[in-house]
Amino acid sequence: MAPLVYMLVGVFVCASAQESTVNYSLREEQDAFTYVGNVARDSQLYGNVTMEVFQRMKFQLLTQGNEYAAMFSIDESASTLRTAVQLDREVICPDSIECVLVFNVAVYLKDSITSVLDLYKIIKIEVTIDDINDNAPEFPNDEVTIVISENSGVETEHFTNGAIDLDRGANNSVQTYVMQPPNEMFGLKVLENGDGTTDLNIVVKYPLDRESRHFYQLVISAIDGGSPPRTGSVKINITISDQNDNSPVFSKSLYNVTVEENIPVNSTIVHVNATDADAEDNGLVAYRFSSRTSSKITDVFDINSESGEITCKSVLNFEDDQKWTFKVEAFDSGSPAKTSTVSVIINVLDINDNYPQININLPPGGTKISEAASPGSFVAHVAVFDLDNAGQKEISCMVIGDDFRLEDFKLKNNYKVIVNKPLDHEVRDSYEVTIECSDNGVPPNKNDTSFIVKVEDVNDNFPEFKKDTYELTIQEEVFQSMIVKVEATDKDFGNNGKIIYKLEPGSDQRFTVNSNTGLVTANSVFDRETDPRIILHVLAVDAGDPALSSTATVVINITDINDNAPRFSSNPLNILIMESEPFQSVNLNVTDPDLGLNGQFTLTFPKNDYLAEYFEFNSVTGEIKTLKAIDRELIPYFKFWVSAVDNGIPQRSSSAEVVLHIIDRNDNIPAITYPNNSNNTKAIPILAPVGFVIATVQASDKDDGLNAQLLYFIDMGDTREIFKMDVNTGRITVGREMTELDADTYKLEIAVRDNGEPQRTAMATLKVTVEPANATVSPLVEEENKQNIMLVAVIVGVTTVISVSIIVSIFILCHIDKRNRGRRNQAPKHPEDRFYDIHRVDESMSGSSNISKDSDAELIKKMKAKKEVSFSIDEDCSDVGNNSTLTNVTSFSTMKPPYLSMDYRSSPEDTQSSAWLCNNTVSDMNKTEMYENELSGLTTSQLQGALRHIAQGGNSDRLWLQPVREEQTKRMILRKSEDNHSTTSHDTTTSDSGRGGSEEDINSNRGHIFSESEIWSSTC
């Protein structure tokens, strides 16, 4: 754990509004991906923003123009900083005591809506690379020879190069030198240089005597302060000479010169000079770089060994090295040679020879930017610096063009490239952004750089239909599969511009649309009356995210054909008319769903004088107006048929029965039948128990409904509150126990009231005598018992008579049925045997048709083929062989009493048209059989009248049947008008006029209550 702790020591944070500085210390030579720190936490950014904001942040190293940034990596979400390579301090900072790597981390913030990144913050990172003792001290040469004259005095110093340790720091650099063997003729002196290096001087400790000893060999070891310490050694060979007593002496102890960085190559920078007092070869001086001079210096500078001129071999660059320091040796040609050393310092002067350096740092998304980015959206980071004058010059920058612009990031020479105008991928999908910067030098230097911004398409265009509304017309009842083709386009690209078609949810299931082509098809025919106009909404949806859609409206107009007959709201049509109110108006509810002439129709009402007396009909509007007041008690309702024919081609028609119901008005007072003037007295014993029935009031009301609902009250007369009246039944009972004090005669005023509005009341008087106990009670009880016995006897007698009648009727009906079956098996011999004309109202209710001289069998077939809706019976008393003429009769019924019915009194014309039988028609028929057929349809009273007529000798011409026939004809018309009809009058459904009889019953007695034998027997 110790190395890790050492690595993290010294984290320092300096924060400002726009920039934070975080310092890290890191040992060199660690493996790649070594953890350095967490930038967000160590810069206190993490604690100053919410978790939601932090999750939208991205971290990025700004590598452009910074070689150190490439040595590290950062997690863009967690901001964890790690090394990217193994760091060697001696390689990165070869001649520096401190090795500090400086680079920047950009913090981007993603917009929560558009997801566009914006530069939020720049954090400055300083990583100090700490040295480890991974290098041993090293001398320039393994072995060095030094010549010392024997007359050199004590403390004379002779120079030699010290050891070099690439490591830095108090512990890892050379700390001590050790000379072996110790306590010899020579000592060792360490020389401290300004750059932290050391050199050595060999010091003469004792007088030298060449004759005694002319050669010494020493070993000098350099020891660093590392743990464990590392060492390096050099062998020093010292030769004692007896000549060349003087060493070269430089004219200056230090050569310090300044030159401009733009000095031409091979120009002389400095001239070192040394002299030697010896003569001849011992005084000939030459020059060279010290053996400790690095190759970096020798690569840039050169020295003339004879003249001592130092020249530049390559271009000097102030921005690379502002100062050069090295040593020059002057040596003579003696044997052994003597040397002297001097320090040379060359200062490089900056001139404006550098152009501003523009570094573009792109966000994690690169150069792509969404077209949805609004003006002000971040595009790239620009860092500008000028190597001249250590970057202290003022630099100004701008963007060429007006699509983008620079925004000062409030850090010197740092800018943000932002969007200046709205972007539209459909107009322009890429931009070349050029940034131009210039310094304030004289003359100013300009530089520019460019990068490409690609505008990414977003789904910002809705599909567009070529037409907003597609309108077309098709004919009803005609199948047409292909309806219309819709087409839409989308300006976007890729999936954003890919369109699929579909119908709006909830659209008519009869239609579909091809998702790729937009073709709308149908799978059924259409009815204009149901769907006169169909509106569909077709969606064009692109494949973007989120998807955008547009809607086009398809309007389908269905043209009409005459495929519907006029329609009555119901059949029968029940219409209400108020009683006793003249000049009312009602409308028949008749419609035709077709359009135009196809939907226009004309109504045909019955042309009948009786109806014309009460009503006026409008054949166009269907309005029915009353011409006078109607009394419901006389005529409760009217029934008649109405037909409707449209104007289409072909014409269509329908008909319905109309029932005009007369609504009752409370215009009748209740009629009390008991008590009355002749019967209004009752006597009861005083001992009659509670609940004893005294009498029941009997009353009636000609009105209908609530108007006829009666209530019964005792208004006056019950002075002692003895009696109780049932308000609903009119029953008067004893209401309490009576005492002797109650014996009296009470005159009760009875009120009978209806429930109509206004309420009407009838009054009657009932005298009730309460007889005392000493009065005769047994006769009353006896009389009541007699009445009960008589009631039982009557009930038994009636029941017996009814039972016998039913049994006799059954036997008679069986006998008649058996006889008729025998007759049907015999075909009629003469066409004159038919004497009924069956009349019907045809479908158009106008015109006439003739019944041909067909046989009965053919007539029955025709009647089966089409049953009659309504009919009347009329006979032609002319030649029996002629065809019977059908009359145009509309059947109706008013349900009025016989004395208000249509006038059926005989006239000369009526005798011929309404008589049932004519004498000449039956001249050849068996009269007995004729009587049987006719008498079988008569009631008992009618038979009795007929017998009396015959007994008086009136059987000639059979005029005794005339009134009977007229009465039967009236009843038949009334009964036929009350028959139920089918919903549509022209339907070909069978109808039996509601009597349940078949065609066979026309010529039979089946269905009659009495047979001929019963008639004659009852008459006798």
Side-chain angles (χ1 to χ4, degrees):
M1 293 299 294
L4 180 61
V5 172
Y6 182 78
M7 176 186 68
L8 296 177
V9 169
V11 175
F12 174 77
V13 179
C14 177
S16 66
Q18 291 291 335
E19 180 183 16
S20 298
T21 300
V22 181
N23 292 338
Y24 294 103
S25 293
L26 181 67
R27 289 188 299 108
E28 67 167 333
E29 300 293 345
Q30 296 191 81
D31 294 335
F33 307 110
T34 297
Y35 175 81
V36 178
N38 185 278
V39 175
R41 184 182 64 246
D42 299 335
S43 66
Q44 300 180 359
L45 174 65
Y46 183 81
N48 292 328
V49 297
T50 64
M51 177 59 68
E52 186 272 333
V53 173
F54 180 76
Q55 290 175 346
R56 292 191 282 116
M57 287 183 172
K58 290 186 179 295
F59 298 83
Q60 183 186 43
L61 295 172
L62 300 181
T63 58
Q64 293 297 317
N66 192 313
E67 58 180 338
Y68 300 140
M71 300 177 183
F72 297 88
S73 65
I74 191 170
D75 187 302
E76 69 174 15
S77 298
S79 78
T80 301
L81 184 66
R82 298 179 182 273
T83 60
V85 294
Q86 189 181 66
L87 303 180
D88 188 347
R89 193 200 68 81
E90 289 75 31
V91 175
I92 299 171
C93 309
D95 297 315
S96 301
I97 296 176
E98 286 190 357
C99 186
V100 180
L101 309 184
V102 181
F103 53 90
N104 292 326
V105 172
V107 182
Y108 298 95
L109 182 62
K110 181 187 293 184
D111 189 274
S112 59
I113 299 175
T114 63
S115 298
V116 176
L117 293 176
D118 189 15
L119 184 58
Y120 176 76
K121 194 182 187 73
I122 291 179
I123 300 174
K124 185 178 180 180
I125 307 297
E126 294 183 356
V127 180
T128 300
I129 306 300
D130 294 330
D131 184 46
I132 62 174
N133 193 24
D134 57 342
N135 292 282
E138 185 178 353
F139 287 90
N141 304 104
D142 294 337
E143 190 172 343
V144 175
T145 298
I146 299 176
V147 179
I148 299 177
S149 174
E150 65 177 338
N151 58 355
S152 296
V154 177
E155 301 299 328
T156 301
E157 297 178 2
H158 298 271
F159 180 82
T160 187
N161 293 315
I164 299 174
D165 195 331
L166 297 178
D167 296 324
R168 289 292 184 265
N171 296 325
N172 296 331
S173 61
V174 176
Q175 299 297 311
T176 60
Y177 289 91
V178 177
M179 185 174 66
Q180 295 292 339
N183 301 321
E184 284 282 350
M185 294 294 293
F186 304 97
L188 187 62
K189 183 180 180 180
V190 179
L191 302 176
E192 298 288 344
N193 297 319
D195 59 358
T197 62
T198 57
D199 284 322
L200 301 175
N201 277 343
I202 305 299
V203 181
V204 177
K205 296 174 65 177
Y206 302 101
L208 300 176
D209 187 358
R210 182 176 181 279
E211 287 75 18
S212 298
R213 187 174 178 179
H214 69 282
F215 179 79
Y216 294 88
Q217 188 175 60
L218 304 174
V219 176
I220 299 175
S221 297
I223 305 172
D224 63 23
S227 177
R230 293 177 179 271
T231 62
S233 61
V234 61
K235 186 182 292 184
I236 305 296
N237 296 319
I238 300 175
T239 300
I240 305 300
S241 67
D242 58 355
Q243 297 179 359
N244 194 18
D245 297 328
N246 297 293
S247 299
V249 178
F250 285 96
S251 59
K252 295 179 179 181
S253 60
L254 174 65
Y255 290 87
N256 190 343
V257 296
T258 300
V259 296
E260 292 182 347
E261 62 177 336
N262 63 346
I263 185 173
V265 177
N266 297 325
S267 298
T268 299
I269 296 175
V270 63
H271 184 196
V272 297
N273 183 37
T275 59
D276 195 323
D278 292 326
E280 299 180 354
D281 290 341
N282 292 332
L284 185 62
V285 179
Y287 304 93
R288 65 187 178 194
F289 290 114
S290 170
S291 59
R292 292 183 55 190
T293 302
S294 66
S295 59
K296 180 180 179 182
I297 295 175
T298 59
D299 290 339
V300 177
F301 300 100
D302 195 11
I303 187 169
N304 189 309
S305 61
E306 295 180 359
S307 64
E309 291 180 349
I310 300 175
T311 59
C312 59
K313 295 167 57 175
S314 62
V315 176
L316 299 180
N317 193 346
F318 171 85
E319 291 72 31
D320 293 335
D321 294 285
Q322 302 174 14
K323 183 179 182 180
W324 300 86
T325 301
F326 52 87
K327 289 184 179 298
V328 175
E329 293 180 351
F331 60 95
D332 58 22
S333 300
S335 180
K338 287 184 173 289
T339 63
S340 295
T341 304
V342 69
S343 294
V344 177
I345 298 176
I346 300 175
N347 298 293
V348 180
L349 182 64
D350 183 36
I351 64 172
N352 192 30
D353 62 342
N354 287 282
Y355 293 88
Q357 300 299 307
I358 304 171
N359 295 319
I360 307 295
N361 295 289
L362 301 175
T367 60
K368 295 180 179 179
I369 185 170
S370 169
E371 66 173 330
S374 59
S377 297
F378 174 79
V379 178
H381 167 251
V382 177
V384 184
F385 65 94
D386 194 329
L387 296 175
D388 293 329
N389 197 21
Q392 297 302 314
K393 291 185 177 179
E394 294 294 329
I395 303 173
S396 60
C397 299
M398 62 178 295
V399 175
I400 305 300
D402 60 352
D403 295 307
F404 301 88
R405 64 183 176 89
L406 287 179
E407 183 180 90
D408 190 359
F409 195 60
K410 300 186 188 229
L411 286 177
K412 187 174 183 180
N413 296 332
N414 281 264
Y415 304 93
K416 289 197 303 181
V417 180
I418 61 175
V419 177
N420 191 43
K421 287 183 176 181
L423 304 176
D424 191 345
H425 174 83
E426 289 72 38
V427 176
R428 188 173 178 181
D429 61 356
S430 66
Y431 294 85
E432 183 178 4
V433 181
T434 300
I435 299 172
E436 183 181 83
C437 297
S438 63
D439 59 26
N440 61 350
V442 180
N445 288 327
K446 291 184 179 180
N447 192 14
D448 63 70
T449 186
S450 301
F451 64 98
I452 301 297
V453 173
K454 293 183 179 180
V455 180
E456 286 188 319
D457 182 49
V458 297
N459 196 24
D460 58 343
N461 288 282
F462 288 82
E464 295 181 1
F465 282 94
K466 289 189 174 181
K467 294 193 296 184
D468 293 334
T469 302
Y470 296 80
E471 189 164 1
L472 66 151
T473 301
I474 61 176
Q475 184 173 309
E476 69 172 328
E477 305 299 338
V478 176
F479 181 78
Q480 183 173 338
S481 61
M482 292 187 293
I483 303 300
V484 68
K485 182 177 181 181
V486 298
E487 187 174 354
T489 58
D490 195 318
K491 294 179 181 178
D492 292 322
F493 290 82
N495 286 335
N496 294 335
K498 184 179 179 181
I499 296 176
I500 59 174
Y501 300 92
K502 57 184 178 181
L503 293 177
E504 189 177 58
S507 296
D508 196 320
Q509 297 297 318
R510 295 172 294 179
F511 295 90
T512 58
V513 61
N514 189 293
S515 60
N516 296 320
T517 64
L519 179 63
V520 179
T521 57
N523 57 9
S524 66
V525 296
F526 301 98
D527 184 1
R528 191 208 64 81
E529 289 71 38
T530 303
D531 302 297
R533 195 168 189 247
I534 301 174
I535 298 178
L536 300 175
H537 296 288
V538 181
L539 300 179
V541 185
D542 61 28
D545 185 18
L548 299 178
S549 63
S550 296
T551 304
T553 302
V554 177
V555 179
I556 305 171
N557 297 306
I558 311 298
T559 59
D560 183 55
I561 62 173
N562 194 25
D563 56 344
N564 291 279
R567 297 177 183 175
F568 291 87
S569 60
S570 63
N571 191 5
L573 283 170
N574 292 290
I575 299 175
L576 304 179
I577 295 177
M578 183 61 67
E579 176 186 14
S580 303
E581 185 174 325
F583 308 113
Q584 301 179 63
S585 176
V586 294
N587 281 83
L588 299 183
N589 189 0
V590 187
T591 58
D592 192 323
D594 289 325
L595 194 64
L597 292 176
N598 297 333
Q600 297 176 4
F601 54 86
T602 302
L603 296 172
T604 302
F605 292 89
K607 296 180 180 179
N608 183 284
D609 294 339
Y610 184 75
L611 289 177
E613 179 184 350
Y614 290 93
F615 302 102
E616 179 182 288
F617 302 107
N618 190 316
S619 62
V620 177
T621 63
E623 183 183 26
I624 301 176
K625 292 182 179 179
T626 59
L627 300 178
K628 62 181 182 178
I630 303 173
D631 189 348
R632 190 206 64 82
E633 287 71 36
L634 299 178
I635 308 175
Y637 60 85
F638 293 84
K639 282 186 180 181
F640 53 88
W641 282 86
V642 176
S643 67
V645 181
D646 64 24
N647 296 328
I649 299 176
Q651 285 187 320
R652 294 182 178 272
S653 63
S654 61
S655 61
E657 185 182 44
V658 178
V659 181
L660 298 175
H661 297 274
I662 311 303
I663 301 175
D664 183 52
R665 195 183 285 275
N666 194 23
D667 54 353
N668 290 282
I669 300 174
I672 302 176
T673 58
Y674 177 81
N676 50 48
N677 293 332
S678 61
N679 185 9
N680 61 355
T681 303
K682 283 287 184 179
I684 62 172
I686 200 169
L687 298 178
V690 175
F692 180 83
V693 178
I694 300 171
T696 300
V697 178
Q698 297 178 2
S700 62
D701 195 318
K702 294 181 180 180
D703 292 320
D704 191 24
L706 292 176
N707 296 332
Q709 184 177 355
L710 302 180
L711 303 176
Y712 302 88
F713 304 92
I714 299 176
D715 271 11
M716 298 176 60
D718 188 9
T719 58
R720 303 183 65 86
E721 298 181 352
I722 300 173
F723 309 104
K724 181 179 180 182
M725 169 76 80
D726 189 314
V727 71
N728 294 313
T729 64
R731 180 179 295 172
I732 303 173
T733 59
V734 176
R736 64 176 177 82
E737 292 183 359
M738 292 181 289
T739 64
E740 292 295 335
L741 297 177
D742 296 322
D744 199 355
T745 297
Y746 297 89
K747 186 177 182 181
L748 302 180
E749 297 294 332
I750 306 300
V752 179
R753 298 183 177 92
D754 61 23
N755 273 330
E757 183 65 35
Q759 193 175 53
R760 295 181 180 271
T761 304
M763 303 295 295
T765 301
L766 178 65
K767 296 178 181 180
V768 180
T769 300
V770 178
E771 297 181 344
N774 56 2
T776 302
V777 178
S778 58
L780 292 175
V781 176
E782 197 172 315
E783 179 65 22
E784 184 177 352
N785 292 336
K786 289 181 180 180
Q787 291 178 356
N788 292 339
I789 293 171
M790 290 179 64
L791 179 62
V792 171
V794 170
I795 293 174
V796 171
V798 171
T799 304
T800 304
V801 172
I802 292 174
S803 300
V804 171
S805 299
I806 292 174
I807 295 172
V808 171
S809 297
I810 292 174
F811 281 103
I812 292 173
L813 290 174
C814 291
H815 172 72
I816 293 174
D817 183 65
K818 181 177 180 181
R819 182 189 61 192
N820 289 340
R821 281 199 298 269
R823 289 179 179 177
R824 282 196 300 271
N825 293 332
Q826 299 176 359
K829 296 180 180 181
H830 303 286
E832 291 82 354
D833 291 343
R834 293 193 314 273
F835 51 88
Y836 286 95
D837 282 346
I838 309 300
H839 291 248
R840 63 181 177 83
V841 180
D842 61 12
E843 294 179 352
S844 62
M845 299 186 68
S846 63
S848 63
S849 62
N850 296 327
I851 300 177
S852 63
K853 298 178 180 180
D854 297 336
S855 65
D856 289 343
E858 291 175 340
L859 181 60
I860 292 172
K861 288 181 180 179
K862 291 180 180 180
M863 294 174 65
K864 287 182 177 180
K866 186 167 186 179
K867 287 297 230 170
E868 297 147 345
V869 177
S870 175
F871 65 88
S872 65
I873 299 178
D874 194 355
E875 291 196 13
D876 189 352
C877 292
S878 60
D879 187 3
V880 177
N882 295 340
N883 295 336
S884 298
T885 302
L886 291 175
T887 60
N888 180 20
V889 178
T890 301
S891 175
F892 68 96
S893 173
T894 62
M895 294 298 294
K896 60 183 181 293
Y899 57 86
L900 292 176
S901 303
M902 297 170 60
D903 191 1
Y904 282 94
R905 291 176 298 178
S906 301
S907 65
E909 294 178 356
D910 293 336
T911 303
Q912 295 178 359
S913 60
S914 62
W916 279 19
L917 300 173
C918 294
N919 292 333
N920 61 346
T921 307
V922 294
S923 59
D924 297 330
M925 296 179 60
N926 184 293
K927 291 187 177 182
T928 302
E929 182 178 354
M930 193 75 165
Y931 290 160
E932 290 177 352
N933 290 337
E934 292 183 354
L935 291 175
S936 63
L938 301 181
T939 63
T940 304
S941 61
Q942 291 171 344
L943 286 173
Q944 291 173 355
L947 291 176
R948 285 194 299 269
H949 189 86
I950 294 172
Q952 295 173 4
N955 59 339
S956 61
D957 296 332
R958 304 175 64 186
L959 295 178
W960 54 272
L961 288 175
Q962 182 68 25
V964 176
R965 291 168 182 163
E966 291 180 358
E967 184 177 353
Q968 287 186 344
T969 302
K970 294 176 184 178
R971 283 205 306 273
M972 185 187 309
I973 293 173
L974 292 175
R975 184 165 59 249
K976 288 296 293 181
S977 65
E978 295 172 355
D979 287 344
N980 292 325
H981 300 282
S982 59
T983 304
T984 304
S985 64
H986 293 295
D987 292 347
T988 57
T989 56
T990 59
S991 172
D992 58 7
S993 300
R995 293 175 298 181
S998 63
E999 288 82 354
E1000 295 174 354
D1001 294 334
I1002 295 175
N1003 296 319
S1004 70
N1005 292 330
R1006 194 179 312 163
H1008 296 291
I1009 299 176
F1010 301 102
S1011 64
E1012 296 165 76
S1013 60
E1014 184 181 1
I1015 293 171
W1016 292 113
S1017 63
S1018 63
T1019 302
C1020 295

